[in-house]
Amino acid sequence: MDRNRFSSPRKQRGIVTILIVLMVGLAVSVTVAATIHSLRGTQSQQLTTHSVTAAQAAAWRGVEALRLYLLQVEKTVWPGWVGNDAKPVAGLGALGVPSAVVTSVQAAGTSSYQVTARVTGEAGVGSALTTATVEVVYDVVPGSGTPGTTEVCHSLPNAPMVFNGNLNYSGGSLEVVNPVDYENVVVAGDLTIGGGSSARISGCVKGNVSLSGGGITNNGHLHSEGNITLNHMGNPSGTTLWGRNVSIGNGVSGGNYSAIKAGAYSAVVYSDGRAIGTAEVGGKLIAATVTGGIPWTKGNVVPFNTGRLVITLNDQSRFLLDLSAVTIDDRSGAVTGAAASARLRDDKDKGPDDASLPDALIFTSVSVAGGNVGLHALSVGQLWGQKVSVLGWGGSYSTLWAGGDIDMVSATIGELVGGGDMTVRGARVTGSGRLAGSLNRRLANVLSAQVGTSPGLPGLPWCDARVKAVDAENYKGVANYVFESVNGLPQLTIQHVKRADGSSIDGVYPLKSPSARQLGVLQELMTCTNGNDRGCLNIRQGNGNWLLDGVRRMPAGVLWFDAAVTVRSTTMDLLNTVVNKGGDVTLDSSSHRDLVAPNVAGASRVCGGAFHPSNLCASRSAFVTWESIDSQGRATTYSGLPIGNVAIIAEEGATLAGWTIHGSVLLGKQLATSGAVVTLHGSLTVGSNQRADTTITAGGISLKVPDGSGLNLLPVCAGGSNGVPSAPANATVLWSRYL
């Protein structure tokens, strides 16, 4: 995971994978979910051979569970374990093993270890309680190779709201409050706002923008790789519009815009005199290279040293060139340093895996891409395009730049630069400047037929709408409560959870027929159905989905579900991250409290209760910490693992109605809203796993960008690795005896 590393607790760097136990003499912690499954079949025959009582059978289950665990310990851990200090084993209670201790770890040659342990099993209750203790010695040969790293949620999305698809908004609410200093909304498809609705948003769009009957936020911007069309809507104040073409209809007049820009040069990209690809680039043409008459459209381009553009090579590979990070020769237009550009590898990239971008480039324009700007009477700071038409009476333009022709009725202009002809249709046009072409009537202080006059073109914005796939399996290992169906029966696996006294309750809890001990733990943890279902034993529905109804008690931490989950009628705040493997997450509009992600809830509420998630909490009053390293090597330490910033992670979609959610929401597919407005304190990403169109006609989203102490880190998934095992581990029982 590039440019990032973690520490937990504070002085340790490197995130510990779920397969490594706490090192250097701390407690060994065993995950038993996979073990119970593994104990079936041939292992069951071995247990029958070794045991004559239920307590002995439990002890041998513990022996096998510990053997399976030792197979998973990485080679680098073993040297730190060598010695005779006792290492208690936790997490075997669900197997009927109340006590297990590793008493010795000794090196046996250069590549193996002998591990001695005592495992006690028990069976029965009260006066019928029996125990059996087995002492066992294992021979362990650790596996070798490169250890893997877990996938961790820790990087910034491209905006507080990201929609990987079309966004159609015509009712309810769509707003971003307390916006940040980059895009507020990113749309990978078309953005349509209509029906008289006003969206308090600002951002960028990959497709076309169509606004009618509503409005957008003041002092913001809409950047589009496609066309921007406004009709019959209220004007914002201080907004910037930038697209391929911009059209503002007659019903939109009198507005105050910071800038309206459109157009780029469609260029062939050369390297060492060879045409290698194409790009749409902003900049100015070099007079000595221009061919054809006015307005200029063909010639070598000196790109502006701001913004980003996409270069498509002849082999159909695509690269993103950051113009602020390269060197540009103002006389020749030569660009050097391009080899450091990033490969996009998006759906349009069809090139070979080994494709590369040369370091030195020349852009030669062959035509103009877009550049048409049409509007009526507005007040604009900078009006810039290839062909500019101002058809209304009045309006003012601090600067009016046109790479080609200008058609105008009436206006007050500050600075005028035109690369073509200008036609004036009204009597009142004032301003000063230069034109490369002709002027149909005399204007004071405007010179026509000025050789070499051209303002160039602004280029096209590039909208970063990339999303990262959501895979719920990546979070199963860090979840605290895993709800899933096993062999058709509902099961809860508890992991990384401790009581206030530090004792673990980790284990597998069948929800249909828990033991008395298991039932006692479940009843302490959870209450559903308005108090009628202590332990939430009946939350799995007949169709395999999960229903948290009438929740009165739910422990803090990460909840993981293997199917669709619905939450309704809660009487308490849920201090949880909800991770969903299949089906939708539904937050029902019936009476409820809030969903609060653990980090947002605070350490005292999450870590200070009767039970706490030990992987999220460093102590009863503090979260664990982790560290992010930026590209310049600067480290920032955050409190609380990144997954604790997230309220919902779903491979499928979500239906939300009226909830207040504190934490980010990551959806693999679609979003549906209904009923009252959903208030979200965090980020929203829709369509991470597949393109998903979003339509908001009622309810809607009011997103409030959080701030302070890491909560402004709006998380999405960053990549891990599976590791490279070169030799498998082996663990066998050398000898054993009953004590």
Side-chain angles (χ1 to χ4, degrees):
M1 63 184 66
D2 53 9
R3 300 185 316 201
N4 293 277
R5 64 176 185 263
F6 307 91
S7 62
S8 174
R10 300 176 188 273
K11 294 183 179 179
Q12 177 185 345
R13 293 190 174 180
I15 191 163
V16 183
T17 72
I18 62 174
L19 301 181
I20 301 179
V21 296
L22 300 178
M23 298 172 60
V24 194
L26 298 181
V28 178
S29 176
V30 178
T31 302
V32 300
T35 302
I36 289 183
H37 178 74
S38 300
L39 289 175
R40 298 175 180 173
T42 57
Q43 294 299 333
S44 297
Q45 299 173 10
Q46 295 179 22
L47 295 177
T48 302
T49 301
H50 286 296
S51 63
V52 294
T53 70
Q56 289 173 334
W60 280 100
R61 286 196 296 270
V63 169
E64 176 61 11
L66 184 54
R67 187 190 72 82
L68 293 175
Y69 172 74
L70 295 173
L71 286 171
Q72 303 177 58
V73 178
E74 293 179 357
K75 185 175 182 179
T76 55
V77 174
W78 285 100
W81 279 1
V82 172
N84 295 320
D85 53 319
K87 302 174 181 66
V89 177
L92 297 178
L95 297 177
V97 179
S99 173
V101 178
V102 173
T103 58
S104 173
V105 177
Q106 300 298 329
T110 59
S111 60
S112 64
Y113 297 85
Q114 286 191 354
V115 179
T116 305
R118 290 195 306 270
V119 181
T120 299
E122 69 176 14
V125 294
S127 60
L129 179 68
T130 60
T131 63
T133 299
V134 174
E135 185 175 40
V136 60
V137 175
Y138 302 93
D139 181 60
V140 181
V141 178
S144 61
T146 303
T149 57
T150 55
E151 177 141 336
V152 177
C153 236
H154 79 280
S155 60
L156 288 167
N158 300 320
M161 282 189 185
V162 179
F163 296 91
N164 185 27
N166 299 324
L167 174 59
N168 190 323
Y169 169 61
S170 60
S173 178
L174 182 65
E175 65 175 359
V176 176
V177 181
N178 187 28
V180 292
D181 57 355
Y182 56 105
E183 311 290 3
N184 294 330
V185 174
V186 168
V187 180
D190 296 337
L191 170 63
T192 303
I193 300 176
S197 301
S198 180
R200 296 179 58 191
I201 61 172
S202 176
C204 74
V205 179
K206 298 292 285 186
N208 297 321
V209 175
S210 177
L211 309 182
S212 62
I216 57 176
T217 189
N218 292 335
N219 302 314
H221 66 268
L222 278 180
H223 294 170
S224 173
E225 295 183 25
N227 300 325
I228 300 176
T229 303
L230 279 64
N231 279 302
H232 302 288
M233 60 166 278
N235 270 301
S237 176
T239 292
T240 294
L241 303 178
W242 183 15
R244 184 173 296 270
N245 298 291
V246 177
S247 175
I248 302 177
N250 189 30
V252 184
S253 61
N256 174 15
Y257 291 81
S258 292
I260 298 174
K261 303 185 291 184
Y265 293 109
S266 181
V268 174
V269 183
Y270 288 87
S271 180
D272 290 331
R274 181 173 55 92
I276 63 169
T278 60
E280 295 176 332
V281 59
K284 291 187 175 183
L285 298 182
I286 301 172
T289 67
V290 170
T291 60
I294 60 170
W296 291 353
T297 59
K298 299 178 180 180
N300 289 352
V301 184
V302 178
F304 297 127
N305 63 349
T306 59
R308 295 175 291 182
L309 61 87
V310 175
I311 297 174
T312 302
L313 297 185
N314 295 337
D315 61 12
Q316 299 306 302
S317 58
R318 285 160 50 90
F319 293 84
L320 184 65
L321 179 64
D322 183 351
L323 291 169
S324 66
V326 297
T327 301
I328 301 173
D329 189 316
D330 292 338
R331 295 171 297 177
S332 67
V335 172
T336 55
S341 299
R343 178 82 177 267
L344 278 178
R345 300 188 184 279
D346 55 14
D347 292 341
K348 296 179 180 179
D349 188 332
K350 310 297 183 182
D353 290 340
D354 60 351
S356 61
L357 186 65
D359 193 67
L361 307 174
I362 289 286
F363 296 88
T364 300
S365 174
V366 294
S367 64
V368 170
N372 295 321
V373 178
L375 49 85
H376 289 260
L378 299 175
S379 175
V380 181
Q382 182 184 59
L383 181 60
W384 189 5
Q386 175 68 7
K387 182 178 181 180
V388 177
S389 299
V390 181
L391 303 179
W393 291 84
S396 63
Y397 310 93
S398 298
T399 62
L400 194 163
W401 293 350
D405 296 338
I406 301 171
D407 191 349
M408 178 165 290
V409 174
S410 171
T412 299
I413 304 170
E415 177 192 355
L416 173 66
V417 179
D421 300 331
M422 180 173 181
T423 300
V424 177
R425 301 178 184 275
R428 295 191 304 175
V429 175
T430 61
S432 61
R434 297 163 57 87
L435 297 171
S438 64
L439 180 61
N440 70 327
R441 65 173 60 179
R442 183 178 180 277
L443 293 179
N445 302 317
V446 175
L447 302 176
S448 60
Q450 301 297 299
V451 176
T453 299
S454 177
L457 289 173
L460 301 181
W462 181 74
C463 184
D464 190 356
R466 293 173 291 181
V467 293
K468 298 179 181 179
V470 173
D471 185 352
E473 290 292 339
N474 290 325
Y475 305 98
K476 194 172 184 179
V478 296
N480 304 112
Y481 303 92
V482 177
F483 295 88
E484 56 188 341
S485 297
V486 178
N487 297 324
L489 297 176
Q491 173 180 290
L492 169 63
T493 300
I494 300 176
Q495 51 192 20
H496 320 301
V497 178
K498 293 183 178 180
R499 294 181 182 272
D501 63 6
S503 60
S504 172
I505 63 167
D506 289 4
V508 178
Y509 294 74
L511 296 181
K512 279 300 181 186
S513 55
S515 68
R517 175 184 296 177
Q518 292 168 335
L519 179 60
V521 173
L522 292 174
Q523 290 180 339
E524 287 184 83
L525 281 172
M526 300 177 289
T527 301
C528 295
T529 321
N530 299 312
N532 296 319
D533 184 4
R534 294 182 60 209
C536 295
L537 303 179
N538 302 306
I539 65 173
R540 181 177 176 269
Q541 305 303 290
N543 60 2
N545 296 336
W546 303 87
L547 174 63
L548 297 179
D549 181 32
V551 176
R552 291 189 175 181
R553 179 181 298 172
M554 184 62 61
V558 181
L559 311 179
W560 194 98
F561 297 90
D562 68 349
V565 57
T566 298
V567 184
R568 69 186 186 201
S569 302
T570 61
T571 60
M572 57 168 288
D573 288 346
L574 300 178
L575 312 183
N576 300 113
T577 297
V578 177
V579 184
N580 190 47
K581 175 65 176 177
D584 289 350
V585 174
T586 300
L587 301 186
D588 192 271
S589 61
S590 57
S591 60
H592 55 78
R593 296 287 292 273
D594 297 347
L595 174 60
V596 186
N599 287 357
V600 187
S604 61
R605 297 177 73 186
V606 173
C607 306
F611 301 91
H612 65 274
S614 57
N615 58 332
L616 303 185
C617 300
S619 70
R620 301 269 294 153
S621 59
F623 289 128
V624 298
T625 60
W626 64 280
E627 201 171 71
S628 174
I629 309 298
D630 64 19
S631 57
Q632 283 74 45
R634 296 170 300 197
T636 302
T637 300
Y638 295 94
S639 175
L641 287 183
I643 194 171
N645 284 347
V646 192
I648 297 174
I649 300 174
E651 285 191 12
E652 300 287 327
T655 299
L656 310 177
W659 279 66
T660 296
I661 301 172
H662 298 265
S664 297
V665 174
L666 307 177
L667 305 180
K669 298 182 181 178
Q670 73 286 340
L671 167 70
T673 63
S674 62
V677 173
V678 175
T679 301
L680 176 60
H681 299 257
S683 69
L684 171 66
T685 302
V686 178
S688 290
N689 292 350
Q690 71 176 38
R691 185 180 175 93
D693 295 341
T694 302
T695 298
I696 298 176
T697 59
I701 300 288
S702 175
L703 188 146
K704 303 180 185 299
V705 179
D707 55 17
S709 189
L711 296 185
N712 56 350
L713 187 82
L714 310 172
V716 295
C717 300
S721 68
N722 294 324
V724 184
S726 58
N730 185 49
T732 58
V733 175
L734 285 179
W735 64 266
S736 62
R737 65 175 179 171
Y738 288 111
L739 297 179

